[in-house]
Amino acid sequence: AAVADSGGCVSLFRLHGPIVEAAEGEEAHRAFEFLGKHRAHSQSAPVCGLAFQAGPEGTLELVSCGEEGRLCRFDVFGSSVEGGVKLLDVSDVALGGAAAGGGAVPTSLTFLPRIVDNHSRVQQGRATVLVADDAFKLRTIDVATLTCVRTVLGPTFGGPLSVMVPVNGGAHLAYATPDKVVGLAALPLDGDPARAMGLIAHPGEVASTTAAFDGSTIFTVGGGAAGDAGNVVNVWAVNAAVLDANASAAAGEYGSSDARLAALIEGGAEGEFYREARDYFMYSQLRAQGEDSTAARTAHADGRVPLEELPLLMRALGHYPSERELEDMFRELAVEAAGVTMVAPTSVGFDRFIALFVNHRPVFGVGKDQIEEAFEALGAELGDAVPRDALLQALTGSGEPMSAEELNAAAAALLGPGATIHDLIPAEITAKGFAEDVLGFLPVEA
C-alpha cells in the first residue's frame, strides 16, 4: 500500500498477510509494516495521483504525480525499512508542467490496462499511465522511460478530470470532474468527441468515484457538508454499448477518428479555417519539392508532407509549440508507427496533421491575460513596464532559451532586413505594448 501526504511525501507499507479482526481479549496483529517515505514532490504542489499496477512475472509498478508536473517511479521491491523508499526514475518534463517551465497542472492519474491492440496508436503491452491536466489534455506516459507517447484532447464537460478509472477490461474509461459531471470514454483515447460522453451526476462537487470490478456499475459520492442536497451516494448502471454504437455511427458517417476531429476546428470541415489549413498543407508539399524548381510538381490533400514541415504548419495555423512539445509530437508518430509498420515515419498525411493540431493546441489560446501574467512573473505590477534587459534575460535564460541570433531573426522578420531585437523592443515595455506592438494583437476598445 502507498499513501501521499500534503507535504509532497509518498509513504510505502508492506502487507504482512490477510487482515483479520482480533478476537475479544486478544491483541490485534499489525497487518502493515511501514517501510518509510520519500519527499518526491514539492511541498507547495500536492500529489494528485498515486497508483499501483501488477505486471508480468510478479513485477509491481508504483507511480506518483504532483501538481508541479513531476512524475516519479518507485522501486517497490527494492524499498525496505533499512533502506527506505527507493526511486527508480523521475521526470520533470513529460507533463509540461511548472517543473518543465510550462503552465499545465496535472489533476489525476491512472494506469492503463496492458492490452496489446494492433489498432491502437500506443503499444499497450507496456506499462503506461494516463495523466489528465487542467488544460483538458490527456497524456499517455510510458512508465519504463517516463516519456509522453501520446497527447489527446480530453472531455471538456464540467472541468478537468479529477478521477479516472478503467472499466470493462480496459475497453472504457470512467471519469469524473470536480463539478457535477461523470462520464465514460472509449479506450484507446484519440480525442474524438464521438467516443466520449458526460452527464450531470450531482448538483455540486463530485468528491469520489469508483467502479465495480466488472465495470457494470459506477459509484459516485457528492461533496458538501452533511445534509446538503448533493451529499449523497449515487449508483450508475453502465451501458457502454450505447457509447460504442454512437462512435460506430459517427465512423460510418464521417470516416476515421482523425477525419472526425476536423469538426472541432472553427467552422468544421466546411469552414474557412479548414480550407486554409488544407491550402497550407499543399503549399508545404510544394516547398518540399522545391519552391524554385521548374520540374513538374504535385500537391493535393491526399498527399503527405515531410515531418520537417510539421512545425511550420502548426505555426501557420496559430499554434506555436515549444521544442519539447514538438518532440512529443514526433515521438507520438514514431510510437504509433512502431505498433503498425515498425518503420520510423518520415512524413504525415493531412487528416493525421489535423488530429495532431486539434489534440495538441491549447483549448484556450494565448491572450492578453496570459501576457500580463508573464509580465507579473518578471516583477511588473498591472500596467507597469519592465526593462528591456529584464525581458531579454528571461527570453535567453529561462524555459527553452532563445539565442541572440534567433531574437534578431524574429525582429528582422517583423521589421525588415537588418533590424535587431533592440529595434523591436523599446527600453521599457508594458504587457499591453508587448501584446499590441510586438505580437500584433488588436487593441481592446474600452
Side-chain angles (χ1 to χ4, degrees), residues 32 39 55 159 166 216 250 265 278 289 313 390 404 420:
F32 288 93
R39 191 183 301 281
S216 63
I265 290 178
R278 186 175 55 197
Q289 297 171 59
L313 281 169
T420 69

Side-chain angles (χ1 to χ4, degrees), residues 257-282:
S257 290
D258 284 349
R260 296 199 297 275
L261 286 173
L264 299 180
I265 290 178
E266 294 82 351
E270 304 298 326
E272 181 179 349
F273 190 92
Y274 184 84
R275 291 194 296 271
E276 185 177 340
R278 186 175 55 197
D279 290 343
Y280 281 131
F281 185 83
M282 290 189 289

Side-chain angles (χ1 to χ4, degrees), residues 67-404:
E67 288 189 357
E68 82 277 51
R70 171 173 293 176
L71 279 171
C72 297
R73 182 188 181 201
F74 295 88
D75 184 359
V76 177
F77 294 128
S79 300
S80 64
V81 175
E82 296 79 14
V85 178
K86 302 294 185 181
L87 280 174
L88 285 174
D89 199 3
V90 175
S91 174
D92 285 340
V93 300
L95 302 180
V105 178
T107 56
S108 59
L109 171 148
T110 189
F111 270 94
L112 289 170
R114 299 192 190 210
I115 301 172
V116 179
D117 180 2
N118 291 330
H119 299 289
S120 171
R121 289 199 173 115
V122 177
Q123 291 179 291
Q124 298 287 342
R126 296 169 64 89
T128 54
V129 292
L130 186 68
V131 182
D133 65 31
D134 67 344
F136 297 96
K137 301 299 183 185
L138 297 174
R139 289 180 170 84
T140 301
I141 307 297
D142 180 78
V143 172
T145 59
L146 290 188
T147 55
C148 180
V149 295
R150 186 156 179 77
T151 301
V152 300
L153 177 66
T156 56
F157 325 109
L161 310 191
S162 56
V163 180
M164 298 183 293
V165 183
V167 296
N168 296 336
H172 299 88
L173 179 78
Y175 70 87
T177 71
D179 188 23
K180 303 179 182 180
V181 174
V182 170
L184 194 69
L187 292 175
L189 298 166
D190 57 11
D192 183 359
R195 302 180 71 240
M197 58 76 61
L199 55 83
I200 296 177
H202 292 269
E205 177 189 3
V206 182
S208 183
T209 303
T210 191
F213 73 96
D214 60 357
S216 63
T217 309
I218 295 175
F219 302 85
T220 63
V221 180
D228 287 355
N231 191 13
V232 296
V233 177
N234 287 335
V235 183
W236 305 88
V238 177
N239 187 356
V242 176
L243 177 66
D244 294 338
N246 182 58
S248 297
E253 183 175 357
Y254 299 106
S256 68
S257 290
D258 284 349
R260 296 199 297 275
L261 286 173
L264 299 180
I265 290 178
E266 294 82 351
E270 304 298 326
E272 181 179 349
F273 190 92
Y274 184 84
R275 291 194 296 271
E276 185 177 340
R278 186 175 55 197
D279 290 343
Y280 281 131
F281 185 83
M282 290 189 289
Y283 173 63
S284 288
Q285 294 179 51
L286 296 177
R287 274 174 47 91
Q289 297 171 59
E291 291 180 282
D292 299 327
S293 173
T294 58
R297 295 173 296 170
T298 60
H300 49 88
D302 294 332
R304 301 177 69 85
V305 299
L307 289 185
E308 292 79 9
E309 292 289 316
L310 187 59
L312 299 174
L313 281 169
M314 290 285 176
R315 292 163 186 151
L317 295 180
H319 174 39
Y320 301 92
S322 65
E323 293 301 316
R324 177 191 56 76
E325 290 168 333
L326 288 172
E327 289 178 7
D328 286 348
M329 292 182 199
F330 294 140
R331 188 185 305 111
E332 179 176 323
L333 293 171
V335 171
E336 173 186 321
V340 181
T341 65
M342 304 300 292
V343 177
T346 58
S347 62
V348 63
F350 180 67
D351 285 345
R352 190 69 186 99
F353 158 65
I354 290 296
L356 284 170
F357 175 75
V358 170
N359 280 323
H360 283 262
R361 69 171 178 172
V363 173
F364 308 106
V366 176
K368 290 187 176 182
D369 290 343
Q370 287 72 36
I371 296 173
E372 287 176 354
E373 290 175 2
F375 270 66
E376 288 177 9
L378 295 175
E381 297 293 336
L382 184 62
D384 288 350
V386 298
R388 177 174 56 206
D389 291 345
L391 178 59
L392 295 182
Q393 183 177 358
L395 291 173
T396 57
S398 302
E400 293 185 353
M402 298 179 68
S403 66

